[in-house]
Amino acid sequence: TLFRSINMTKEGVTDESMLLYQMQPYNFDREVVISGDQVLVGGNCFAGTYNGIANMYSAFYETFWAMAATGKFVGSDQKVLYRTCHTYPSACHIHKPPKGYRKWLNMLGLVLPDLGEKVGEPLKLTSLIEPLKHLPIPPNCVVDDATSTTIWKDIPKD
């Protein structure tokens, strides 16, 4: 089956993090992180608790809006995830594969319990990128219940 019930926190993923699979070797370059011109994790497969996925959802769309509002490319979820994990590291538990990279389906087939590979310690990110401040307000269609409390936090409500 494609879906399995696993206890993410028992596997070592914190309740506020989402499990992601590392696809490329990690070499920090601040300008590349800001530009969103790099892939680090696969966007095709992830796992987490309700809180972990909700935390990533908010972090991802806050990063998405910050990148879009400053003219950065947002057409690849993997590139937005790269910056998201550097801005909101608690949202990401990046599993480093023990053998090789670019194995796009290995998380489905190897990381789940009893299939071989165990969830490892999260990848340590070299440096972080501060969230952007004073961004223009996103159009209403971008904001929803998951992101509204952070996006609108400094905006007076009428």
Side-chain angles (χ1 to χ4, degrees), residues 4 6-8 11-13 19-23 45-47 93-98 103-121:
R4 291 183 182 244
I6 62 174
N7 183 331
M8 296 303 298
E11 295 295 320
V13 180
L19 178 63
L20 300 163
Y21 200 83
Q22 185 177 351
M23 296 296 160
C45 190
F46 53 86
H93 181 114
I94 301 172
H95 172 75
K96 183 177 181 179
K103 310 244 190 255
W104 297 99
L105 299 177
N106 272 14
M107 193 159 114
L108 284 172
L110 293 178
V111 178
L112 298 177
D114 303 322
L115 293 176
E117 202 171 302
K118 297 294 182 195
V119 175
E121 290 292 317

Side-chain angles (χ1 to χ4, degrees), residues 47-65:
T49 64
Y50 177 88
N51 290 332
I53 292 172
N55 189 28
M56 172 56 81
Y57 183 92
S58 293
F60 179 89
Y61 282 104
E62 286 182 37
T63 304
F64 180 95
W65 178 247

